[in-house]
Amino acid sequence: MHPNLSFEQAPPIWVPYRFFLTAPLFGIATGLLLAWSGPEALASRWTPAALALTHLMVAGFMLQAMCGALLQFIPVAAGGNIWRPTLVAGVVHPMLAVGAALLAGGFLAGPGPWFAVGAGLIVTALSIYVVVVGIALFRAPARGATILALRVAIAALVVTYVLGFTLAQGLRGVGGIPLLEFTHVHAAWGLGGWALLLLSGVSYYVVPMFQLTPAYPAWLGRLLPWTLLTALLLWATQLTGEARAWHSWVLLAGLLAAGLFALVTLRLQAQRRRRVPDVTLTFFRIGMASLLVIVLAIALITVPPAPTFLPVREWAVPIGILTFVGLFVSVITGMLYKIVPFLNWLHLQRLGGLTVFPPNMRDMIRERAMVWQMRLHLAALAALLGAATWPPLTAIAGLLFAASCAWLEWNLLGGVRVYRTFRDRIRAVDACHAP
């Protein structure tokens, strides 16, 4: 176990769990919506269904999981003091969930009042979240690559939702903003800033801890956040409404930094001390392999001279599938399969003391169930990529992805059931020994 973990500062277990258990529900909704929408949803990244699917994944699945993880990670791993985490989670979690659902519905039905309400709920919830988490993070006593990456990630989150709210107003006809350029910058700050930097910052800590690999090199921890931040700031100059030729090279620099993170992670995993098969390791490798393919594909189609056999329009949807499902859903799922058993063990150990010992972490969620869910996830990813080129596969791909997320939800609920069972057993033993 990592020597610098501050177990005494861990928030109540239901603070992160409410986010973790909600995230797969948005994945289920994404898959069902894709199956219902049919091939039209994958015809272009700009269709109403495609925009709804994207925001169910980003503002639903990913945001729920990442916000819950930070509320747990900052106090335990960084030593930061989250102000009243139960209250913050109780306010932020439902606002994010309802806001994401309304936002997705607004893309389907048109930017009406519910669309504006959804965007407003998300912005309000994230503003509260950023203030509380940002104060804790910037006051945290810890230093190093993880803290730097998380601080830049929080700043990127602010830029992302400000741009997103501005876009929402533009879609409703308020103001005259360049929608295409705002969309490009919004997506870059959300995926390349907030999501990727959060992933890297947490990985610096949990990959060596849970996967028993060597530590990440210090130079990568310094290089990645500053390179990505510089690239994002230069990329944002598109907001003037005029894209320039050198923007392609800015994009390439950011992509190379992301690809370098993936290569280093795969190299460290190849050097792990324990060779026992591990589901989390496999999910991580799927994510890093997807990231490398994404980097290569975007570099080929955007940096001149681009090959004529790689038209941007036809590759946009497969790249999006690899980004959301191949990279982020894979890595988030793998992390949840480690974080939930670890939190169970941590809180049960604190409750039980020396009277009742918690089960082994590997017994919190059945290994066989995780392996089969991983196989279903891979089948869904393959089907989604196939549907991007052969539309009749769309409904099957959507149902497979919904089933994969439903299985993830069931496995996480199984971990929660183990926690409740042993918690009740500990309380019963304490009651018997009470004077």
Side-chain angles (χ1 to χ4, degrees):
M1 202 62 66
H2 202 286
N4 296 323
L5 294 175
S6 302
F7 293 147
E8 68 282 355
Q9 293 192 186
I13 195 169
W14 301 112
V15 168
Y17 274 13
R18 64 189 302 159
F19 291 91
F20 294 164
L21 294 175
T22 304
L25 301 180
F26 280 97
I28 297 171
T30 302
L32 294 178
L33 176 59
L34 177 60
W36 177 77
S37 301
E40 180 186 352
L42 300 182
S44 164
R45 58 182 286 207
W46 304 110
T47 64
L51 292 170
L53 292 167
T54 298
H55 287 82
L56 281 174
M57 290 302 302
V58 175
F61 187 103
M62 290 171 55
L63 196 58
Q64 288 284 336
M66 293 189 293
C67 286
L70 267 187
L71 289 175
Q72 174 69 37
F73 186 84
I74 290 176
V76 173
N81 183 27
I82 299 285
W83 177 80
R84 302 188 68 176
T86 303
L87 175 62
V88 171
V91 172
V92 169
H93 167 259
M95 291 178 70
L96 286 180
V98 174
L102 292 177
L103 191 66
F107 279 113
L108 290 173
W114 292 116
F115 183 80
V117 172
L121 283 173
I122 292 174
V123 167
T124 303
L126 287 179
S127 297
I128 296 170
Y129 182 86
V130 163
V131 169
V132 174
V133 170
I135 289 174
L137 190 58
F138 279 86
R139 289 181 175 178
R143 295 291 182 270
T146 291
I147 299 301
L148 174 60
L150 294 185
R151 287 174 176 173
V152 180
I154 288 293
L157 175 60
V158 176
V159 176
T160 301
Y161 73 72
V162 169
L163 290 171
F165 187 75
T166 305
L167 271 170
Q169 303 313 305
L171 289 173
R172 297 179 62 237
V174 179
I177 66 170
L179 293 178
L180 182 62
E181 288 78 8
F182 262 73
T183 301
H184 289 160
V185 177
H186 169 63
W189 278 85
L191 297 173
W194 157 243
L196 186 59
L197 280 173
L198 177 61
L199 168 60
S200 65
V202 173
S203 296
Y204 298 151
Y205 209 93
V206 302
V207 167
M209 174 180 165
F210 285 134
Q211 299 178 17
L212 301 179
T213 71
Y216 279 83
W219 58 263
L220 180 66
R222 294 189 296 268
L223 174 69
L224 186 62
W226 294 122
T227 301
L228 288 178
L229 180 60
T230 302
L232 289 168
L233 289 170
L234 292 173
W235 185 253
T237 58
Q238 294 181 69
L239 296 182
T240 60
E242 183 179 355
R244 300 186 181 277
W246 54 267
H247 283 137
S248 296
W249 299 104
V250 169
L251 177 60
L252 179 62
L255 291 171
L256 290 176
L260 188 60
F261 166 71
L263 287 173
V264 171
T265 300
L266 290 171
R267 180 175 177 272
L268 293 176
Q269 290 171 336
Q271 299 173 346
R272 62 195 298 256
R273 297 192 299 273
R274 187 172 62 183
R275 298 294 178 176
V276 178
D278 183 85
V279 172
T280 297
L281 179 72
T282 306
F283 270 116
F284 247 89
R285 285 176 169 168
I286 295 169
M288 294 303 103
S290 297
L291 179 54
L292 289 176
V293 175
I294 293 164
V295 168
L296 178 61
I298 297 179
L300 284 175
I301 64 178
T302 57
V303 178
T308 57
F309 63 87
L310 286 176
V312 176
R313 182 172 181 176
E314 294 182 11
W315 280 82
V317 172
I319 289 172
I321 292 169
L322 278 174
T323 301
F324 299 126
V325 181
L327 171 57
F328 288 113
V329 173
S330 297
V331 174
I332 287 172
T333 301
M335 283 192 173
L336 289 176
Y337 280 151
K338 280 297 185 184
I339 293 173
V340 169
F342 173 71
L343 293 183
N344 279 2
W345 175 85
L346 170 63
H347 287 272
L348 289 174
Q349 186 185 58
R350 294 170 64 184
L351 284 173
L354 298 177
T355 58
V356 178
F357 293 99
N360 188 281
M361 283 176 55
R362 295 181 66 89
D363 297 327
M364 300 289 186
I365 302 176
R366 292 186 300 117
E367 182 78 15
R368 183 177 178 84
M370 292 189 290
V371 169
W372 279 102
Q373 190 271 326
M374 178 189 68
R375 291 171 179 170
L376 185 57
H377 170 75
L378 281 172
L381 176 59
L384 287 166
L385 291 172
T389 56
W390 192 56
L393 195 57
T394 302
I396 295 174
L399 292 175
L400 283 173
F401 184 67
S404 172
C405 291
W407 202 336
L408 169 62
E409 178 76 6
W410 180 256
N411 287 343
L412 296 179
L413 287 172
V416 172
R417 287 193 294 271
V418 170
Y419 170 78
R420 284 177 168 170
T421 298
F422 277 84
R423 180 201 62 187
D424 294 343
R425 186 179 301 177
I426 290 168
R427 289 175 176 175
V429 170
D430 290 344
C432 291
H433 288 87

